Amino acid sequence: MIKRRLFYAIAIPIVSAIFIAAFIISHFIERPIALSVREDLRGLLYNAALKAIEGCDRNYQHIIDWRLESNKEAVDTVKRDSIEQVIRLPSLLNKPEMNIFIVSENRDILSDPSLKGKMRFKDLDSEGFISFSSEKESFSGYYYYFPAWRWYVIAALPESVIEKRLSVIRNSIYTGMLALIASILTVTFLIIRLKVINPLKAISKVSERIREGRFEKIDIVPCSYEIVSLMLSFNSMVDAIEKRTEDLERFKRMVESAFDAIIITDRAGNIVYVNPAFETATGYSKDEVIGQNLGVVKSWEHDNEFYKSLWQTINTGKPWKGEFITRKKNEEIYQTSATIFPIISDSGEITHFVSIQRDITEEKKLYDQLLRAQKMEAVGTLAGGIAHDFNNLLAAVIGYSQLIKMKLTEDDHLWKPINIIESAAQKGAELAKKILTITRKEKLEMKRIDLNATIKDMMELLLRTIPKDITIELNLEDELPCIKADPTQLQQVILNLSVNARDAMPNGGKLCIETDRVGKENGAANGIPKRNGFVKLSVSDTGVGMDRETMRKVFDPFFTTKEPGKGTGLGLYIVHSIVASHGGYINLYSEPGKGTRFNIYFPVCEKEAEESDTNETETLLGSGTILVIDDEENIRELAADMLEPFGYRVITAKNGIDGINTFKTMGRDISLVLLDMIMPQMNGAEVFQVLKTIDPDVRVLLFSGYSHESFAGINGLIKDGARGFIQKPFSLQTIAKAIKKALE
């Protein structure tokens, strides 16, 4: 484009100059020269005609002098000689192209009779210039009238000769002029090439390099002020473009490297750009979505009002923030947190929309788990408090039942009801223990367990529990490694999941229980890395399945899809709690109408020596004074009634302050302090510290309706000198052994 414009810029002035020069040559040089040449030729013809007349006149004078006028023959001879002389005159004048004609008054050509009737003359006078023509050519000449013989002597040149001479002159003029113009143009072109074309070519080359991404500047060379200014401006423009390009390149790298998916659309929602994070998140390549409408990733999980509100917001120029449910190329659904804002031009019009999206699927899962954990924690706190108070009540029931049985024989009529009371209380204690286990406030009885053997042992129970129209299928992996678990809790997990599957198949189906070993990467993906990997327990059914909303809430406490009165909503909550307390995790897969699968992962148990149970025969009788500090009167009375038969003296205190005062008064006589951990005003830990201040060697045995694991500070108290911990409700044997050991 630059070369073409430059060509026009040079060619147009040159062509114009040529036309102007031609006009000047034609009107101001050629025409005067042509007139001058014609004047010279006329002078030549004039002189030639004059010489011819003079020759004729001399011959005529000879006739006069010789008095031959009357001699017609002599006169004719002289006339012929005169004609011959006239005809030879051009040769004598060295003008062979000249013609001299002798014409009679009746227009006969006396010098060349062959031309008779072929020459056309206008009216002739005594002398003057004349133009005439023959059949072949036109002539210009000068004539004289010779009255003696009545001749017209005409000296003439053919127009072609005149024109040829003018042409030679004209060509010389034009050649010289063209040479001059060519010289001027050459010099001009060289100057233009040096001062204009070369700098512009340099600008053009640098422009090409800039288009290729190579930012170079023009070397300033001596030339016109305007070109130098242009080159300086061009270099400034290169600096500005390079800086702008660097900014754009930096912005592009930032966008291309962004963790969030970035989508740019036109006003109609057609995609014009996506970054690599979008390709990674959705599975679509850039080429697949450019030009497509945003509907390509639409999940249809949102109603029309949702999208209507979104478009109304961004079309007013305001940003929109919210969450999307989006669809991947493989039809998988995932959740994103999105910010959409318009791009507004300088004229104030919206040209494009930018959507920045972050995949928050895992965050939502973690958030749901956090909410579930908080709910579990709230329920656990409530259940733990109830279980604690329940244990305090059961402690009195079980303790006094055992005391009464010690005073009865088996054939006594009261033995059976007392035994039933004790048995019911023991079951209540087991129930409280399960509650504390679920809330992680009870120590699990962890053992090395063969999961396959546990499942096989439960088959009889499952066959009685599951209807016959449901087929139970086992697919157990051979040589499955052991896990470390509480057997009762593990059976509870299998039973709860099986019952849940049964309720999901009211018209029959298949219940499948499978085991397998998986690698440690499965736990690492869920934030639970284990060196030896995991044992997977899968419980699946072909039942009604669950939708996404139900799956989100299925582990929540008291959530149930069953009719009122047919479900507590604690079954899967308990399963989740047990699995978490065993250091494992649980995954759920379900689709409406296609069934449900629970995958539970337990860490593989590292090999360790089996613990051997030792049965030691101990003498439980003892002596000394026991101070019982507890805010429950029943527990204080029970402790006294249980310990006094073993030989101990028991004194009681109704709270921490009363106990401290009693210890201050009778400290030297007190052998052991039996201290409850949960009391009003001062708790057990505070009382223990005060007792240690009074007597650093004080023996203190801690007890509570909560388990050892419920108090983060119990281990610290034991390190500080406490002699142990027992949990309510306790039996005679338990409390007697603990006191005996504490007093050693």
Side-chain angles (χ1 to χ4, degrees):
M1 182 64 71
I2 292 177
K3 291 181 179 179
R4 184 182 300 171
R5 291 181 178 177
L6 186 60
F7 171 78
Y8 289 145
I10 297 174
I12 291 174
I14 289 176
V15 172
S16 301
I18 291 174
F19 277 108
I20 293 171
F23 178 81
I24 292 173
I25 291 172
S26 175
H27 287 77
F28 299 100
I29 297 177
E30 179 190 357
R31 183 172 294 175
I33 291 176
L35 292 175
S36 176
V37 170
R38 285 187 176 274
E39 287 297 325
D40 291 341
L41 291 175
R42 286 183 176 184
L44 176 64
L45 295 174
Y46 172 81
N47 291 329
L50 183 60
K51 285 182 180 292
I53 288 296
E54 289 176 349
C56 290
D57 186 59
R58 281 195 300 272
N59 290 334
Y60 178 73
Q61 288 298 326
H62 287 314
I63 292 174
I64 297 299
D65 292 338
W66 294 337
R67 300 180 183 275
L68 296 176
E69 296 93 335
S70 59
N71 188 346
K72 183 176 184 306
E73 182 179 354
V75 171
D76 290 338
T77 300
V78 173
K79 287 183 178 180
R80 284 196 298 270
D81 291 340
S82 297
I83 291 172
E84 289 178 2
Q85 290 175 0
V86 169
I87 292 172
R88 289 196 300 269
L89 185 60
S91 298
L92 295 175
L93 294 174
N94 197 24
K95 300 294 182 182
E97 68 277 10
M98 183 185 297
N99 292 292
I100 298 179
F101 301 100
I102 297 176
V103 183
S104 64
E105 286 183 340
N106 56 2
R107 304 299 191 264
D108 290 333
I109 308 299
L110 301 179
S111 57
D112 189 357
S114 63
L115 296 176
K116 184 178 180 180
K118 297 181 181 180
M119 304 290 286
R120 294 181 295 274
F121 298 96
K122 295 181 180 180
D123 294 337
L124 297 175
D125 203 350
S126 59
E127 68 173 304
F129 289 100
I130 185 174
S131 294
F132 58 94
S133 62
S134 67
E135 292 179 349
K136 296 181 179 180
E137 198 166 8
S138 297
F139 294 87
S140 292
Y142 196 87
Y143 71 93
Y144 276 100
Y145 179 67
F146 189 55
W149 292 338
R150 298 180 180 178
W151 287 357
Y152 290 97
V153 179
I154 303 173
L157 285 171
E159 285 292 335
S160 60
V161 173
I162 298 173
E163 188 62 33
K164 184 177 180 180
R165 183 169 296 183
L166 290 174
S167 178
V168 171
I169 296 172
R170 187 184 299 115
N171 290 340
S172 299
I173 293 172
Y174 277 108
T175 300
M177 186 60 68
L178 288 176
L180 177 61
I181 292 174
S183 300
I184 294 173
L185 290 178
T186 300
V187 173
T188 303
F189 178 76
L190 291 176
I191 294 173
I192 292 175
R193 182 181 181 85
L194 181 64
K195 301 295 185 179
V196 178
I197 296 178
N198 288 346
L200 292 180
K201 280 186 176 180
I203 294 174
S204 178
K205 288 180 180 179
V206 172
S207 300
E208 290 292 330
R209 296 191 187 102
I210 292 175
R211 189 175 67 179
E212 295 171 359
R214 295 180 295 166
F215 292 96
E216 299 179 5
K217 293 184 180 180
I218 303 172
D219 295 330
I220 306 299
V221 296
C223 52
S224 66
Y225 172 78
E226 292 78 6
I227 299 296
V228 170
S229 298
L230 175 62
M231 297 171 79
L232 292 173
S233 299
F234 188 88
N235 285 343
S236 299
M237 181 188 71
V238 170
D239 289 335
I241 293 176
E242 184 175 12
K243 184 177 183 305
R244 180 69 60 86
T245 303
E246 288 176 355
D247 293 340
L248 291 175
E249 189 64 29
R250 191 181 303 111
F251 179 76
K252 180 182 177 182
R253 287 195 298 268
M254 178 185 70
V255 172
E256 296 285 338
S257 304
F259 173 77
D260 297 334
I262 299 176
I263 309 165
I264 302 177
T265 71
D266 58 18
R267 290 204 62 173
N270 298 316
I271 299 173
V272 298
Y273 172 81
V274 294
N275 69 338
F278 172 88
E279 298 177 284
T280 302
T282 64
Y284 285 103
S285 68
K286 183 182 295 184
D287 294 336
E288 288 178 305
V289 297
I290 295 297
Q292 297 288 330
N293 193 270
L294 274 174
V296 72
V297 292
K298 199 172 184 180
S299 66
W300 304 103
E301 296 283 335
H302 304 287
D303 56 23
N304 291 332
E305 286 298 320
F306 175 85
Y307 293 107
K308 182 178 179 181
S309 174
L310 186 156
W311 282 102
Q312 285 179 344
T313 301
I314 59 178
N315 277 321
T316 59
K318 299 178 181 178
W320 180 91
K321 294 182 179 181
E323 295 181 0
F324 273 123
I325 299 178
T326 311
R327 178 170 53 87
K328 297 183 180 181
K329 184 178 181 180
N330 61 4
E331 302 298 328
E332 182 182 341
I333 300 299
Y334 70 103
Q335 288 183 291
T336 62
S337 174
T339 299
I340 304 175
F341 56 90
I343 298 177
I344 301 175
S345 66
D346 294 337
S347 61
E349 295 183 357
I350 296 175
T351 59
H352 294 83
F353 296 107
V354 178
S355 176
I356 302 176
Q357 301 180 3
R358 172 170 293 183
D359 186 348
I360 58 169
T361 305
E362 292 302 320
E363 286 85 345
K364 294 293 285 187
K365 288 181 180 178
L366 292 174
Y367 180 69
D368 291 342
Q369 291 176 3
L370 175 62
L371 290 180
R372 189 178 300 117
Q374 290 174 339
K375 292 178 183 178
M376 290 180 177
E377 185 67 24
V379 173
T381 301
L382 175 62
I386 294 174
H388 170 267
D389 294 340
F390 194 42
N391 278 335
N392 281 336
L393 297 175
L394 292 175
V397 175
I398 293 173
Y400 279 112
S401 296
Q402 292 178 344
L403 287 175
I404 293 173
K405 286 175 66 177
M406 290 175 62
K407 297 178 181 181
L408 299 175
T409 60
E410 291 187 12
D411 57 353
D412 194 296
H413 70 283
L414 294 177
W415 179 270
K416 182 177 180 180
I418 294 300
N419 197 45
I420 292 173
I421 292 172
E422 182 186 9
S423 177
Q426 291 288 1
K427 290 180 180 179
E430 287 295 323
L431 177 60
K433 184 177 180 181
K434 287 183 179 180
I435 294 174
L436 290 174
T437 299
I438 293 171
T439 60
R440 302 180 189 177
K441 290 179 169 60
E442 176 64 28
K443 184 176 181 180
L444 299 174
E445 297 179 5
M446 306 293 281
K447 298 179 181 179
R448 286 172 55 84
I449 290 178
D450 183 348
L451 180 58
N452 287 347
T454 301
I455 294 171
K456 292 175 182 177
D457 292 342
M458 289 190 66
M459 278 303 296
E460 183 178 353
L461 174 60
L462 293 177
L463 289 172
R464 291 200 306 267
T465 306
I466 306 300
K468 293 183 179 181
D469 59 353
I470 296 177
T471 303
I472 301 178
E473 180 182 305
L474 298 183
N475 186 8
L476 308 180
E477 177 73 14
D478 295 333
E479 299 182 1
L480 196 68
C482 291
I483 62 173
K484 197 166 187 179
D486 185 312
T488 303
Q489 299 297 319
L490 185 58
Q491 291 173 2
Q492 186 73 50
V493 168
I494 298 171
L495 182 60
N496 282 15
L497 292 177
S498 299
V499 170
N500 201 68
R502 177 201 66 187
D503 295 340
M505 298 183 286
N507 299 320
K510 182 171 73 173
L511 168 63
C512 185
I513 302 177
E514 303 172 86
T515 60
D516 193 9
R517 179 170 185 172
V518 296
K520 61 182 180 181
E521 65 276 0
N522 289 271
N526 289 270
I528 311 176
K530 292 292 181 181
R531 184 176 60 186
N532 296 326
F534 294 82
V535 170
K536 181 175 75 171
L537 168 64
S538 297
V539 180
S540 60
D541 62 66
T542 58
V544 296
M546 291 179 274
D547 58 22
R548 191 179 303 277
E549 187 64 24
T550 302
M551 290 172 63
R552 285 182 57 253
K553 300 179 180 179
V554 73
F555 293 114
D556 290 352
F558 307 115
F559 175 77
T560 180
T561 58
K562 299 173 184 177
E563 298 177 4
K566 292 188 177 182
T568 62
L570 291 174
L572 293 177
Y573 167 71
I574 292 174
V575 168
H576 187 279
S577 299
I578 293 174
V579 172
S581 66
H582 282 71
Y585 63 95
I586 183 170
N587 287 338
L588 167 61
Y589 308 91
S590 183
E591 289 186 42
K594 294 185 179 181
T596 301
R597 172 184 289 269
F598 289 91
N599 287 338
I600 301 172
Y601 299 85
F602 294 105
V604 171
C605 177
E606 298 181 4
K607 294 183 179 180
E608 57 185 22
E610 294 287 343
E611 298 180 0
S612 60
D613 295 331
T614 57
N615 296 322
E616 299 179 358
T617 303
E618 298 180 81
T619 301
L620 301 180
L621 297 177
S623 62
T625 301
I626 308 296
L627 171 61
V628 179
I629 305 175
D630 197 309
D631 61 317
E632 294 284 343
E633 183 178 0
N634 291 338
I635 301 300
R636 296 197 301 272
E637 295 296 328
L638 174 63
D641 292 338
M642 293 178 75
L643 296 178
E644 285 176 352
F646 286 98
Y648 298 105
R649 177 190 173 202
V650 178
I651 55 178
T652 62
K654 61 183 179 181
N655 54 46
I657 296 174
D658 188 21
I660 292 171
N661 292 332
T662 301
F663 187 81
K664 286 180 179 179
T665 303
M666 304 178 60
R668 294 186 178 184
D669 298 329
I670 295 174
S671 304
L672 179 70
V673 177
L674 194 59
L675 178 61
D676 185 26
M677 292 301 298
I678 304 297
M679 294 182 295
Q681 296 180 352
M682 291 183 70
N683 60 37
E686 294 172 333
V687 174
F688 174 79
Q689 296 299 334
V690 174
L691 295 179
K692 289 288 290 182
T693 302
I694 298 172
D695 182 2
D697 297 325
V698 63
R699 295 185 179 93
V700 178
L701 181 62
L702 309 173
F703 71 119
S704 174
Y706 288 114
S707 66
H708 182 289
E709 284 70 24
S710 300
F711 296 96
I714 282 185
N715 288 332
L717 296 178
I718 291 176
K719 288 181 180 179
D720 288 343
R723 295 304 180 94
F725 176 84
I726 56 176
Q727 184 180 350
K728 303 174 188 177
F730 42 76
S731 64
L732 284 168
Q733 297 287 332
T734 302
I735 191 170
K737 288 180 181 180
I739 291 175
K740 186 77 173 181
K741 184 178 180 180
L743 290 174
E744 290 178 354

